[in-house]
Amino acid sequence: MKTAIPDSTVDDPRVRPELILGGNDFTTVTDKVAGLMERPRPPRAWYIAFAVSLALTGVLVAMIGYLVLTGVGVWGLNNPVGWGFDITNFVFWVGIGHAGTLISAILFLFRQKWRTSINRFAEAMTIFAVVCAGLFPAIHVGRIWLAWWLFPLPNQQQVWPNFRSPLLWDVFAVSSYMFVSLMFWYMGMIPDLATLRDRAKTKVRQIVYGIFSLGWRGSNRQWHRYERAYLLLAALATPLVVSVHSVVSFDFAASQLPGWHTTVFPPYFVAGAIFSGFAMVMMLIIPARQYFGLKDIVTMRHLDNMSKIILATGSMVGFAYAIEFFMAWYSGNPYEMFTFLNRAMGPYSWAYWIMVSCNVLTPQLFWFKKLRGSIPVLFVASILINVGMWFERFVIIVTSLSRDFLPGSWLSYTPTYVEILTFAGSFGLFFTLFLLFVRYLPMVAMAEVKSVMPQAHLEEGIHKGLGDYWGDMPQQHGEKGGHHRGGKS
Amino acid sequence: MQRADITKDNLQLGARAAKVTWLAGAIGLVAIAAAVLLGLLSSDGGESFATAYLTAFVFFLTLALGALFFVLLQHVTGAGWGVVVRRPAEAIAGVFPLFAVLSIPLLFNLHSIYPWAGGEAASDHVLAGKAAYLNVPFFLIRWIAYFGIWSLMASYFRRTSARQDGSGDPALTIKMERLSAPGMVVFALTATFFSFDVLMSRDPHWYSTIYGVYLFSGSVVGFCAVLPLLTLSLQRWGRIQHAVTREHYHDLGKLTFAFVVFWAYIAFSQFMLMWYSNIPEETSWYLRRLSGPWSGFSLILLLGHFVIPFWLLISRGVKRRPATLAFAASWVLLMHLLDVYWLTMPESSPTSLGFSLMHVLCLAGVGALMIAAVTYNLSRSALIPVGDPRLDESLSFENV
């Protein structure tokens, strides 16, 4: 059944637009989403993408192997620039990992029902991004066989990590974020895994999905417990969304280095993280909805909403840049002033202006509804924003370190091929995990999507008395798409 | 989901409003006159009056800023739940013209509030470097811009919404939504620089990039506390009794809770980073607040502005019962006052808390005039936006 998808991005305050279009009912949603994993083999494009990603992951492994066998001298780091690509990549990937839990926790508490179409996808992205992020601090320590010293484990040398160091807080912040996000993602998936189990045609699928669905039967009591747990987890995960990047910002802001030490860093880092995370979700979901036929589940309205969030957080980031600049002048501190002028006009000014044009100017396109509705614009902008956010971390880290208080200790930093290939390889790891996810797990939260469809609310509105327990509604009725009247009519 | 029946509700403030307006207005004028008189009689060149007046002025003004933010937020998000409480917010945001007038005593006393405006500025090379920004004419230009912009924004959203009461035209909602987004940008800019000007420059050597966010977070906390108190008073007067339900109070309680935590997050970020780095030009500001009687005051702020309201408001029952919510909101409002006091006073009174009759008079004066203005604003249109296309959604709103 191919029907034109009606435009649900039209603003009419009298109506809450339908979130799921195309006359879908519960059955078609399940068929569409679960059907993707039940195909005997994925499309050829998946194999090509997987091969490329896997090859890149191989590059990552090779580069890490070379690093471990040779030492961090294979990187371009020097004294004073002791952090370069490694920590830039770490902050970049942690930032990407913010959208998932924001969508599943904070937007849940804000009753943003549209999040149901994209939350599973974004949460998976979050976890894979945090995996990539965790890699970099672990390998940048030099003697990585001692990386376990990051954890406060009792050992015979009586060596404890410095609990007063933000770097240690980072270990706790990132690992607890990782575990809670994983738990949230998995718990939310249980009803869907049970669906896959029930539909499974092979013994292996039955067993595997059966184990992971933890005996879910969909009883009233199970749903009741599930919803309770979801709310509590959302409330617990919300402070984590904020804390992770705040603690990451402490790594810099707790120092005394101009350009690092500034009080606005925590909220500004969080805004930047959400900004880049949403851009990454956008970048991934645009091809995904296209290739997997999910355009009526992830509709233009979803993209429109996401681009509004990108505009809001991007403007916050731009605002923070401006305030930092103003305060550098207002402080009357010559080192502060120098640092910011050096960023804009010094040897790394090219990176600074890439950052400004990608992060501040690009999202301003989203003031215009027409541009928010254009897939090519959204896609290109989301890539540019990711580029810009990577450069933001690069600018913060490298410009401040390479030009500190004493000109005698100034030194420039140029990455080596090992660093560049390691970074490229981390994308390989990310996409490998992601492609496995879209192949074996439901990329849309089926159960949650169904809960925001009109069929789930047969006691109210014009749907009253229509449809049945299974969510079947007369097709004619469903096809009215985005033009239902909410409330009474 | 039952839509609340508001056909029997009294949606107008009626004749009683005029009485309250006049009475509160008279009390306010008398109190401010007494404060001015007391200031003229004192031997400190009006400094005690100026700082006390500044505290009261900023405290009440931040409530209005919080209200303006709330109105903008409702529109920019296209929120449905909050329609029935938007009118009181619009009324509170409508006091900016009054505050423009009330700022006259401040503007005459700039030299006793801000070191950069006084005589010692000339001999201070740090201040000389900032003179391009911190000088009286530019300060006045900015001041006029802030109050002009805020008055215009608040009046636009209040008037447009009132116009919709008659016509019910959904196009007006779309128009307000469109304008609220750039409105947010303007709000962020003006509120941030206002915070630098009005409070941060009290210690012109000191600076903090998060300061604007700090004052903003406190403003929204203060407003979130005032809104349920105002709505509850209206209901006690027999107005809008069915329109605003415990579901709306529950949400307002959640919002208060969220901003209490947000305030704590911002306050902690600023304090921790300055304490940790221990750079003398930054720690001086905190040193003042952590020595003498101010150290105990800071501790009260930590407990009273975060720990206690956190545990109070985390409970669902507290947010849903009018009596307990009113208590929690009053507490939070008092703490916001202490916060503003803590931001304002240590610069002029580092060794004592400096609380005096002057503060009582100024708070009573500015507060009473604000009540008069809010009551007047409320009496100008219906107490809920009866023409809002999302009114039904708000009336049938339930927390599930």
Side-chain angles (χ1 to χ4, degrees):
Chain A
M1 184 194 70
K2 280 260 179 252
T3 47
I5 295 169
D7 184 8
S8 61
T9 59
V10 179
D11 286 320
D12 183 350
R14 288 167 300 190
V15 197
R16 292 290 176 189
E18 296 283 311
L19 294 169
I20 308 300
L21 305 175
N24 276 293
D25 56 30
F26 292 171
T27 315
T28 59
V29 168
T30 309
D31 284 345
K32 259 182 201 161
V33 178
L36 292 172
M37 286 143 273
E38 289 164 349
R39 284 182 295 196
R41 54 185 64 239
R44 184 193 296 256
W46 186 91
Y47 282 110
I48 296 169
F50 191 70
V52 173
S53 306
L54 209 58
L56 270 175
T57 313
V59 171
L60 175 73
V61 174
M63 287 301 124
I64 293 176
Y66 180 47
L67 171 85
V68 173
L69 293 175
T70 322
V72 279
V74 300
W75 288 351
L77 300 177
N78 55 45
N79 197 356
V81 189
W83 284 356
F85 260 49
D86 46 359
I87 301 302
T88 303
N89 297 341
F90 161 67
V91 183
F92 171 75
W93 279 118
V94 176
I96 299 289
H98 267 63
T101 310
L102 178 101
I103 292 169
S104 50
I106 296 186
L107 293 190
F108 173 75
L109 296 181
F110 284 171
R111 297 192 288 263
Q112 297 297 304
K113 293 181 175 168
W114 58 276
R115 79 187 182 91
T116 53
S117 294
I118 54 168
N119 70 344
R120 172 72 44 72
F121 194 83
E123 283 173 63
M125 182 209 74
T126 286
I127 289 158
F128 306 145
V130 177
V131 168
C132 292
L135 203 61
F136 286 97
I139 60 171
H140 101 296
V141 293
R143 287 175 280 180
I144 76 159
W145 49 94
L146 297 180
W148 59 277
W149 283 14
L150 288 169
F151 296 96
L153 300 170
N155 62 63
Q156 58 201 19
Q157 293 114 302
Q158 302 276 309
V159 180
W160 290 92
N162 181 3
F163 286 102
R164 283 186 280 182
S165 164
L167 302 180
L168 179 68
W169 308 344
D170 242 6
V171 175
F172 295 127
V174 175
S175 50
S176 43
Y177 184 67
M178 173 79 196
F179 287 123
V180 172
S181 299
L182 197 62
M183 205 154 68
F184 212 177
W185 182 57
Y186 174 58
M187 203 205 83
M189 211 153 40
I190 290 173
D192 287 357
L193 290 174
T195 305
L196 292 177
R197 171 201 63 197
D198 296 346
R199 290 166 59 101
K201 297 262 168 42
T202 69
K203 205 77 209 157
V204 178
R205 292 176 76 94
Q206 269 174 358
I207 292 172
V208 174
Y209 288 123
I211 289 172
F212 284 102
S213 54
L214 302 181
W216 179 266
R217 286 289 174 274
S219 73
N220 253 353
R221 179 178 301 211
Q222 284 181 343
W223 274 112
H224 179 73
R225 298 268 197 276
Y226 171 88
E227 304 247 320
R228 263 277 137 115
Y230 201 95
L231 177 65
L232 285 176
L233 261 181
L236 288 173
T238 296
L240 279 178
V241 178
V242 177
S243 72
V244 184
H245 232 55
S246 297
V247 174
V248 170
S249 82
F250 293 163
D251 293 347
F252 305 102
S255 74
Q256 297 180 333
L257 195 64
W260 282 18
H261 175 72
T262 186
T263 47
V264 82
F265 255 31
Y268 144 54
F269 264 51
V270 173
I274 295 166
F275 178 54
S276 67
F278 264 88
M280 189 60 116
V281 177
M282 181 89 96
M283 194 184 104
L284 294 174
I285 213 153
I286 285 176
R289 70 194 274 279
Q290 189 94 27
Y291 288 118
F292 297 118
L294 296 173
K295 281 188 187 170
D296 41 12
I297 296 178
V298 183
T299 66
M300 286 313 290
R301 188 167 183 94
H302 291 87
L303 300 182
D304 190 68
N305 286 347
M306 284 161 71
S307 46
K308 284 179 184 168
I309 292 182
I310 291 176
L311 171 62
T313 48
S315 302
M316 286 180 206
V317 168
F319 187 54
Y321 294 164
I323 294 297
E324 270 191 314
F325 231 104
F326 169 78
M327 209 53 90
W329 173 80
Y330 178 92
S331 71
N333 180 329
Y335 300 104
E336 287 279 334
M337 257 185 274
F338 170 78
T339 298
F340 281 89
L341 290 178
N342 178 55
R343 276 185 188 174
M345 297 185 292
Y348 291 103
S349 59
W350 54 276
Y352 181 84
W353 292 108
I354 290 178
M355 165 189 109
V356 170
S357 45
C358 290
N359 289 350
V360 185
L361 301 181
T362 306
Q364 305 308 321
L365 296 175
F366 295 161
W367 283 103
F368 305 99
K369 194 179 177 75
K370 228 191 184 123
L371 298 178
R372 291 199 304 266
S374 153
I375 295 281
V377 171
L378 291 176
F379 189 64
V380 173
S382 63
I383 292 174
L384 286 179
I385 289 165
N386 275 310
V387 171
M389 284 308 289
W390 187 88
F391 272 101
E392 180 195 293
R393 281 65 175 251
F394 181 80
V395 165
I396 291 173
I397 292 173
V398 175
T399 61
S400 283
L401 284 175
S402 66
R403 294 282 183 276
D404 67 359
F405 301 95
L406 290 174
S409 63
W410 289 359
L411 214 56
S412 288
Y413 161 75
T414 319
T416 63
Y417 78 93
V418 182
E419 283 163 294
I420 295 168
L421 288 180
T422 310
F423 179 48
S426 68
F427 274 94
L429 176 62
F430 178 76
F431 281 110
T432 303
L433 293 171
F434 208 84
L435 288 163
L436 288 174
F437 160 71
V438 298
R439 174 76 185 110
Y440 293 107
L441 291 170
M443 73 178 110
V444 171
M446 296 181 274
E448 287 194 69
V449 162
K450 288 173 196 168
S451 75
V452 303
M453 292 169 67
Q455 287 92 332
H457 304 277
L458 292 177
E459 74 284 1
E460 61 186 68
I462 59 164
H463 306 294
K464 198 165 180 161
L466 291 165
D468 61 22
Y469 177 77
W470 303 104
D472 294 327
M473 271 213 262
Q475 204 54 250
Q476 284 282 306
H477 181 70
E479 271 181 9
K480 273 188 232 157
H483 303 287
H484 293 306
R485 285 264 173 143
K488 62 187 176 83
S489 65
Chain B
M1 288 218 219
Q2 277 286 309
R3 179 189 184 280
D5 180 17
I6 53 164
T7 48
K8 294 192 200 81
D9 266 8
N10 189 346
L11 301 180
Q12 299 291 336
L13 208 49
R16 200 158 170 184
K19 233 187 266 174
V20 174
T21 306
W22 285 115
L23 189 68
I27 293 174
L29 286 176
V30 169
I32 288 178
V36 171
L37 202 66
L38 204 62
L40 290 175
L41 292 175
S42 74
S43 54
D44 63 358
E47 198 190 326
S48 63
F49 165 74
T51 50
Y53 190 80
L54 178 71
T55 312
F57 181 86
V58 172
F59 170 66
F60 288 106
L61 183 71
T62 54
L63 304 181
L65 282 173
L68 181 58
F69 172 73
F70 181 82
V71 173
L72 288 168
L73 189 67
Q74 291 290 313
H75 288 303
V76 83
T77 55
W81 70 275
V83 171
V84 292
V85 289
R86 212 180 62 224
R87 264 302 136 73
E90 288 166 0
I92 298 175
V95 299
F96 288 115
L98 169 74
F99 275 79
V101 177
L102 282 176
S103 62
I104 291 169
L106 280 183
L107 300 179
F108 275 106
N109 282 295
L110 289 182
H111 57 277
S112 50
I113 302 175
Y114 302 110
W116 52 264
E120 68 262 49
S123 56
D124 185 327
H125 75 280
V126 178
L127 292 192
K130 304 184 187 194
Y133 183 80
L134 291 181
N135 63 70
V136 175
F138 191 28
F139 182 90
L140 293 178
I141 292 172
R142 291 196 302 270
W143 195 268
I144 292 167
Y146 298 144
F147 283 87
I149 289 169
W150 295 335
S151 304
L152 273 178
M153 281 209 286
S155 138
Y156 170 78
F157 286 103
R158 198 179 56 76
R159 277 164 202 270
T160 311
S161 169
R163 196 140 53 90
Q164 201 178 37
D165 283 357
S167 68
D169 182 4
L172 292 175
T173 299
I174 293 176
K175 229 171 120 188
M176 287 191 280
E177 280 172 10
R178 295 243 162 96
L179 280 170
S180 62
M184 273 292 189
V185 176
V186 174
F187 175 83
L189 272 171
T190 48
T192 305
F193 281 94
F194 175 74
S195 77
F196 296 162
D197 289 351
V198 76
L199 289 184
M200 198 173 84
S201 76
R202 291 264 291 145
D203 178 354
H205 285 214
W206 184 79
Y207 55 90
S208 169
T209 42
I210 208 175
Y211 198 84
V213 189
Y214 182 92
L215 195 67
F216 159 76
S217 65
S219 307
V220 183
V221 169
F223 166 74
C224 285
V226 165
L227 185 57
L229 290 175
L230 177 57
T231 325
L232 282 169
S233 336
L234 288 172
Q235 292 195 312
R236 183 164 271 214
W237 283 357
R239 310 296 196 279
I240 54 171
Q241 275 171 325
H242 296 92
V244 182
T245 67
R246 66 167 56 183
E247 303 295 336
H248 302 107
Y249 285 120
H250 187 177
D251 256 22
L252 290 174
K254 287 191 234 172
L255 209 56
T256 315
F257 176 81
F259 273 94
V260 161
V261 178
F262 183 65
W263 174 89
Y265 163 61
I266 299 298
F268 172 76
S269 297
Q270 177 172 277
F271 173 75
M272 198 282 287
L273 291 174
M274 291 195 166
W275 169 81
Y276 201 111
S277 302
N278 208 5
I279 302 172
E281 62 205 63
E282 287 184 345
T283 47
S284 60
W285 194 83
Y286 276 108
L287 192 61
R288 219 171 290 135
R289 283 160 178 78
L290 292 174
S291 36
W294 288 106
S295 62
F297 198 100
S298 302
L299 201 62
I300 291 175
L301 208 56
L302 168 66
L303 292 173
H305 203 308
F306 173 57
V307 179
I308 293 170
F310 180 89
W311 291 112
L312 257 181
L313 284 166
I314 204 166
S315 144
R316 180 181 167 95
V318 169
K319 286 175 287 207
R320 290 174 73 85
R321 267 189 289 274
T324 48
L325 180 67
F327 172 75
S330 312
W331 175 270
V332 169
L333 188 61
L334 176 69
M335 286 303 135
H336 176 53
L337 173 61
L338 294 192
D339 186 26
V340 172
Y341 194 87
W342 180 84
L343 290 173
T344 318
M345 289 304 291
E347 268 65 47
S348 42
S349 137
T351 50
S352 74
L353 294 181
F355 187 76
S356 65
L357 176 66
M358 196 65 103
H359 283 100
V360 179
L361 286 174
C362 289
L363 283 170
V366 180
L369 286 176
M370 177 144 176
I371 289 174
V374 171
T375 317
Y376 171 70
N377 287 339
L378 279 173
S379 71
R380 289 164 78 185
S381 51
L383 291 169
I384 57 172
V386 286
D388 193 296
R390 297 203 180 101
L391 181 63
D392 273 349
E393 193 183 329
S394 186
L395 288 172
S396 51
F397 166 64
E398 273 177 49
N399 283 288
V400 280

